[in-house]
Amino acid sequence: MATIIEINEPKALEVKNFEFTYAKADAPSIKKLSMPIARHNITALIGPSGCGKTTLLRSFNRIHDLYPGNKYDGEIIFKDRNILTPKEDLIKLRIQIGMIFQKPTAFPMSIFDNVAYGMRLQGIKNKTELQGRVEKALQDAAIWKEVKDRLKHDANGLSGGQQQRLCIARAIAVEPEVLLFDEPTSALDPISTGGIEELVVELRDRVSIIIVTHNMQQAARVSDYTGFMYLGELIELGRTEELFVTPRERLTEEYITGKFG
Amino acid sequence: MSSIVDKIFANTTKLIAFGVLLLVAWIFVVLFEHSVESIKAFGFTFITEDKWAPNVEKFGALPAIYGSVVSTFLAMMLAVPVAIGIAIFLSEIAHAKLKAPVGISIELLAAIPSVIYGMWGLFYFVPIIRDTFGGIGISMLTAGIILSIMILPFMAAVTRDAMNTTPDILKESAYALGGTKWDVIKDIIIPYAKAGIIGSFILALGRAIGETMAVTFVMGNVHKISVDLTEPATSIPVTLANEFAEADSALYYSSLFELSLFLLVISFTIISVAKFYFLRRKRIA
Amino acid sequence: MTHTQKRILINNIVMFLSTLSAVIGIGFLLWILSVLVINGLDALSMIIFTNEGAPPGNDNGGLKHALIGQLMLVSYAALFGVPLGVLAGTYLSEYGLKSKLSETIRDISDIMMSAPSIVIGAFVYAIVVSPMGHFSGWAGSIALTIIMIPIILRTTDDMLQLVPSTLREAAFALGAPKYKVIIQIVYRGAKAGILTGVLLGVARVAGETAPLLFTSFNDNFLNMDMNQPMASLTVTMYNYATSPYEDWQKLGWAAAFILSMFILSLNIFGRLFLLKKKNK
């Protein structure tokens, strides 16, 4: 079975016997998966395409619910409750668990309005508060200097790397407890990728991070814990430096040494 | 031998393609030529004069223009909100099992000829208007309503298509920030698809203004400007449909040709604005 | 009420209104459809296919004249319109792909597809009816041809462009001349798409009434001479429906039913062809 190390730190999330089945699929895409996510750490999920890592990530904020017919089983514990129950308030959940996507998703509005969007959804209308928090979020996302003179400009005028940092600013502006990154650099050039990676590491102190990546070097560079998934199962979860140097599962070793991919 | 056939084939296709352009130009030229007599006789007053009296050879198009404008405006007022509602329903609310059948039915209804909408209007809607608002039921209001129902499927289908161009990942991003469906629709989908949505409305407007059969049945062809919407009225296409085959003098014909030209120019302009300003076709690279 | 509760409330109201407008809109359309089917089936009988028009009140009238007239008008329109449209579309896709001329022709065709068809009737009146001195089937067919060409042209253009260029290159590499490549390879590859375009084009002109009103005009009896005024289902429907006679109105519904079913089946077949193509 899977090798999952004990995590002695507080946990942000706890996945228990989780199964996920897509609408119209016969078999679950994720099978009986259990996994702790350490609080204020970066957990990377790696594995070959189709292993279920993105599917798992998209379960944490239940974005799967946008498409009818998908089915969850088991539990994901967040703040002492199972978030997979039908009575879960998805709006509140998604404010607490933010997400960054594979491609930059600047909304068709100004830079300022993009960052303020989540706060406005929560009913924050006070101009000075909005301005203060937008500036802070942009500073935290290391993009303030580049955009401070053009906050009213259309966000789609920014470069890909800038847009992705804008999306991170937008996500952290509402002060989530968990941030989900779904291959956030797959559409970016190497320099922008480096910038995003630095940013992810800096955010660790204030938010728990789960990052899906198909780039093993990226996982090794940024994460504290790494989970290796294969065919819908978690094969191994360990401290990143240990998992990459001394993997305990044969499959993990074969994957990280490039025997399959 | 082959190279000669090759040249003949290439040039034939080119000639025919070019012929399409010539044909359209020819339509404008012919309509203009036949309008000359009326243009000479009435000049600019053709579109400002409100008297259309074939018996005394006096032709003023204002009542028809007024009718076209008002009936189209009414139709747009009624159809736009419902079309948006249907488009939202189809792209964001309907269950997957409902989406395809309802969507396809709407597209098929857009293919039903307008003469059928007109006939339905005459037999089923005119009595309702008569009983509700008084009058004879044949009226500007009836025409506006039937016109709105006729353009509804087209409008709903293209609005839905425009809304569907919003990338899923962009919508998911807004949901991931805790947005409701309506938040996502008004903040993401509508701004993103704005050009396409406005373009499809203008295109529907361009079609509505030239629509003949849906309104001919229920408008009455009365050349009188009345602010009372329950009075019979006329529009440019309704006038053409009713009077072209019966015109009995050269000036009468010429006036009808001028009306046709006027209608063609107006709809050509509206459709061009929709197509080129809002719905620029994506060039195939 | 918190802001989020308010948002949820507004969301629910809008979702309700959208669903309601969908129900209203679709309700109206279902109403029209059911009226059409009920009245149409009620009016259908064998007489409709075997008898020509008759004076009102003698219950003997049929639609044979209009059915045959319609068939002739549309068939001739397709006979002219399909080859012209396909060849013009071939030029756009295969010869002048991105040239200014091609782009202009595409733009103008797009506009003509939405332009008022009654104006085409006026144009044909001027160039055919007026010089000939009388209405005729030819005039009606010419008007329908003009309406059909841009539709066929644009679908052909689009469908030919979907044929992968590697297919053309492979044929050229074998030394085939261009016209053979187009006729034997490209047309074959785009067969289903072009056929769909033709079906939709025919469906579109089959429902046209306005351009026939003063070109082919009408005839209450069977006439197969294209030089004479000719009945069509659409104009017959218009004349019968606006007449005060109940038996004529009934025939009008029968015509409406037959025409709608014809047009709907063409549309459905057209979609099926494309679907089948996609699934391959």
Side-chain angles (χ1 to χ4, degrees):
Chain A
M1 270 305 284
T3 307
I4 296 168
I5 58 151
E6 279 290 309
I7 289 183
N8 298 318
E9 315 176 56
K11 294 179 190 87
L13 287 154
E14 175 103 51
V15 184
K16 288 180 178 169
N17 280 322
F18 177 65
E19 289 211 338
F20 182 85
T21 314
Y22 279 106
K24 286 181 192 160
D26 305 320
S29 299
I30 294 179
K31 297 160 211 152
K32 294 278 174 215
L33 187 144
S34 295
M35 173 183 194
I37 306 284
R39 193 159 174 264
H40 287 194
N41 274 279
I42 300 173
T43 304
L45 291 173
I46 59 169
S49 308
C51 69
K53 53 191 194 298
T54 294
T55 305
L56 175 63
L57 190 80
R58 289 163 63 91
S59 303
F60 292 127
N61 65 349
R62 288 188 52 186
I63 206 88
H64 288 302
D65 286 46
L66 297 180
Y67 310 99
N70 297 327
K71 200 165 131 257
Y72 306 97
D73 278 303
E75 293 177 73
I76 294 178
I77 307 294
F78 174 61
K79 294 180 149 236
D80 301 322
R81 65 174 193 277
N82 176 14
I83 59 166
L84 298 181
T85 59
K87 64 170 201 284
E88 177 66 28
D89 179 347
L90 295 185
I91 290 178
K92 222 157 121 198
L93 177 73
R94 288 171 188 160
I95 291 168
Q96 291 168 333
I97 301 185
M99 190 172 210
I100 308 297
F101 292 79
Q102 277 172 350
K103 279 189 256 169
T105 54
F107 295 154
M109 48 182 86
S110 73
I111 294 171
F112 184 92
D113 290 342
N114 258 279
V115 182
Y117 187 75
M119 293 181 274
R120 284 190 175 135
L121 281 183
Q122 289 180 38
I124 299 169
K125 291 203 184 84
N126 184 308
K127 251 201 167 150
T128 30
E129 186 186 355
L130 278 178
Q131 262 160 0
R133 284 177 66 177
V134 166
E135 179 175 342
K136 172 110 191 354
L138 286 168
Q139 271 169 349
D140 292 347
I143 189 184
W144 172 249
K145 281 198 192 117
E146 293 156 63
V147 300
K148 65 173 189 226
D149 297 324
R150 43 174 173 154
L151 292 175
K152 295 278 165 248
H153 291 212
D154 185 351
N156 281 297
L158 299 172
S159 73
Q162 287 173 327
Q163 284 192 24
Q164 195 61 307
R165 273 180 285 154
L166 177 76
C167 293
I168 295 175
R170 189 172 67 196
I172 58 181
V174 294
E175 294 167 354
E177 295 178 30
V178 179
L179 258 187
L180 311 170
F181 287 82
D182 183 9
E183 301 188 15
T185 59
S186 61
L188 300 181
D189 61 83
I191 293 174
S192 308
T193 299
I196 300 289
E197 286 180 9
E198 273 174 44
L199 185 53
V200 170
V201 173
E202 277 166 28
L203 289 172
R204 172 177 46 187
D205 297 334
R206 16 190 306 208
V207 52
S208 313
I209 290 170
I210 308 173
I211 178 167
V212 163
T213 175
H214 53 221
N215 176 340
M216 277 182 281
Q217 283 76 30
Q218 183 168 71
R221 277 193 299 265
V222 304
S223 68
D224 306 300
Y225 293 93
T226 297
F228 168 62
M229 288 181 68
Y230 185 64
L231 297 176
E233 294 181 55
L234 181 66
I235 304 298
E236 182 168 353
L237 173 73
R239 291 209 62 90
T240 299
E241 62 275 14
E242 288 168 16
L243 185 129
F244 279 101
V245 179
T246 53
R248 302 187 202 179
E249 293 280 339
R250 196 177 49 86
L251 266 173
T252 316
E253 188 191 342
E254 284 178 1
Y255 181 70
I256 61 179
T257 54
K259 291 212 174 97
F260 69 95
Chain B
M1 183 57 207
S2 253
S3 79
I4 297 172
V5 181
D6 225 16
K7 273 205 184 97
I8 294 174
F9 186 78
N11 285 319
T12 311
T13 62
K14 186 170 185 175
L15 200 70
I16 295 171
F18 194 64
V20 174
L21 276 194
L22 287 183
L23 175 66
V24 175
W26 192 22
I27 293 175
F28 276 95
V29 170
V30 165
L31 292 183
F32 179 75
E33 271 177 5
H34 285 73
S35 306
V36 168
E37 198 174 334
S38 157
I39 293 171
K40 271 190 190 149
F42 306 114
F44 195 68
T45 61
F46 183 69
I47 58 169
T48 55
E49 170 61 49
D50 66 355
K51 197 161 174 217
W52 179 276
N55 50 344
V56 291
E57 299 250 295
K58 199 157 169 36
F59 298 99
L62 195 60
I65 295 170
Y66 172 80
S68 282
V69 170
V70 174
S71 61
T72 310
F73 179 78
L74 270 177
M76 294 299 287
M77 288 297 104
L78 294 169
V80 164
V82 182
I84 294 178
I86 295 179
I88 291 178
F89 178 79
L90 284 179
S91 68
E92 304 300 319
I93 305 178
H95 193 274
K97 278 181 193 151
L98 218 61
K99 231 175 239 189
V102 175
I104 291 172
S105 322
I106 293 215
E107 283 167 32
L108 287 179
L109 282 161
I112 291 210
S114 59
V115 63
I116 304 227
Y117 286 88
M119 190 167 162
W120 170 80
L122 177 65
F123 285 105
Y124 290 84
F125 218 77
V126 165
I128 294 178
I129 296 290
R130 184 170 53 218
D131 298 344
T132 318
F133 298 99
I136 55 168
I138 298 223
S139 68
M140 183 81 94
L141 181 65
T142 324
I145 295 173
I146 301 301
L147 199 51
S148 77
I149 296 172
M150 196 224 94
I151 56 173
L152 184 61
F154 172 78
M155 215 147 111
V158 278
T159 308
R160 174 204 58 185
D161 291 346
M163 289 174 71
N164 278 345
T165 59
T166 316
D168 279 346
I169 194 169
L170 211 56
K171 294 192 247 173
E172 287 175 4
S173 290
Y175 284 117
L177 284 165
T180 62
K181 268 190 174 150
W182 172 237
D183 292 325
V184 175
I185 291 165
K186 81 174 156 42
D187 298 329
I188 311 297
I189 298 176
I190 291 180
Y192 186 88
K194 198 170 49 190
I197 295 172
I198 297 177
S200 56
F201 290 163
I202 298 180
L203 192 58
L205 170 76
R207 287 186 167 205
I209 209 159
E211 174 50 43
T212 309
M213 297 319 289
V215 287
T216 297
F217 281 91
V218 297
M219 211 168 186
N221 195 33
V222 171
H223 289 265
K224 207 179 116 205
I225 297 177
S226 165
V227 284
D228 183 353
L229 295 181
T230 62
E231 291 278 317
T234 192
S235 74
I236 300 173
V238 168
T239 304
L240 293 175
N242 277 292
E243 303 182 26
F244 218 109
E246 288 161 12
D248 49 10
S249 77
L251 190 56
Y252 197 174
Y253 268 122
S254 185
S255 300
L256 290 171
F257 275 111
E258 194 178 347
L259 268 189
S260 310
L261 181 64
F262 188 72
L263 180 64
L264 182 61
V265 170
I266 298 281
S267 27
F268 217 85
T269 312
I270 295 175
I271 298 163
S272 307
V273 168
K275 290 265 180 196
F276 304 136
Y277 192 73
F278 293 101
L279 304 172
R280 201 82 195 82
R281 190 180 55 244
K282 292 212 173 66
R283 311 261 170 187
I284 292 176
Chain C
M1 192 158 44
T2 68
H3 184 75
T4 301
Q5 281 170 328
K6 211 164 101 192
R7 271 199 300 137
I8 294 172
L9 181 71
I10 295 175
N11 177 64
N12 292 343
I13 294 173
V14 175
M15 292 305 116
F16 172 75
L17 289 178
S18 295
T19 312
L20 186 72
S21 60
V23 169
I24 292 175
I26 293 160
F28 265 108
L29 299 169
L30 283 180
W31 184 8
I32 295 176
L33 219 53
S34 60
V35 157
L36 187 63
V37 171
I38 292 168
N39 285 321
L41 286 180
D42 182 48
L44 272 191
S45 68
M46 272 323 284
I47 294 180
I48 285 186
F49 299 96
T50 55
N51 287 19
E52 299 173 26
N58 86 10
D59 276 339
N60 234 338
L63 292 168
K64 187 177 161 196
H65 61 300
L67 284 164
I68 292 177
Q70 178 86 17
L71 212 59
M72 289 182 69
L73 289 170
V74 173
S75 301
Y76 276 110
L79 198 67
F80 307 134
V82 171
L84 290 174
V86 168
L87 286 172
T90 305
Y91 173 77
L92 298 193
S93 161
E94 303 301 311
Y95 292 98
L97 188 54
K98 272 176 282 179
S99 71
K100 235 187 173 145
L101 174 66
S102 294
E103 283 300 341
T104 315
I105 294 172
R106 282 191 189 107
D107 290 343
I108 297 288
S109 306
D110 278 351
I111 297 174
M112 288 313 286
M113 276 160 67
S114 293
S117 57
I118 193 157
V119 170
I120 306 297
F123 168 69
V124 173
Y125 184 93
I127 60 158
V128 182
V129 178
S130 195
M132 280 174 77
H134 56 86
F135 302 114
S136 69
W138 288 124
S141 271
I142 290 170
L144 296 184
T145 304
I146 296 174
I147 294 166
M148 200 172 193
I149 288 174
I151 306 171
I152 308 278
L153 178 156
R154 289 292 286 124
T155 36
T156 305
D157 177 26
D158 285 344
M159 293 302 158
L160 295 188
Q161 288 188 40
L162 289 179
V163 176
S165 49
T166 46
L167 219 59
R168 294 185 184 86
E169 285 160 15
F172 279 126
L174 292 170
K178 189 159 185 172
Y179 79 95
K180 274 198 179 153
V181 174
I182 293 172
I183 293 171
Q184 296 176 348
I185 309 294
V186 181
Y187 281 170
R188 203 163 289 179
K191 203 168 54 187
I194 296 176
L195 194 59
T196 300
V198 170
L199 289 179
L200 296 183
V202 169
R204 163 72 199 276
V205 299
E208 285 293 349
T209 315
L212 298 181
L213 287 173
F214 34 91
T215 52
S216 56
F217 200 62
N218 200 15
D219 188 335
N220 209 13
F221 300 99
L222 182 62
N223 160 45
M224 291 171 65
D225 178 359
M226 289 289 283
N227 263 317
Q228 295 302 316
M230 192 174 260
S232 58
L233 275 177
T234 49
V235 177
T236 302
M237 193 188 308
Y238 175 57
N239 288 344
Y240 280 7
T242 49
S243 80
Y245 315 112
E246 220 167 280
D247 54 336
W248 274 19
Q249 292 173 359
K250 213 170 154 182
L251 281 175
W253 282 114
F257 178 74
I258 295 170
L259 185 70
S260 306
M261 291 308 126
F262 176 69
I263 288 170
L264 286 181
S265 10
L266 283 182
N267 272 279
I268 291 168
F269 275 127
R271 279 155 188 279
L272 287 181
F273 272 122
L274 269 194
L275 270 184
K276 228 165 112 191
K277 172 87 180 160
K278 257 187 220 151
N279 291 342
K280 257 183 200 163

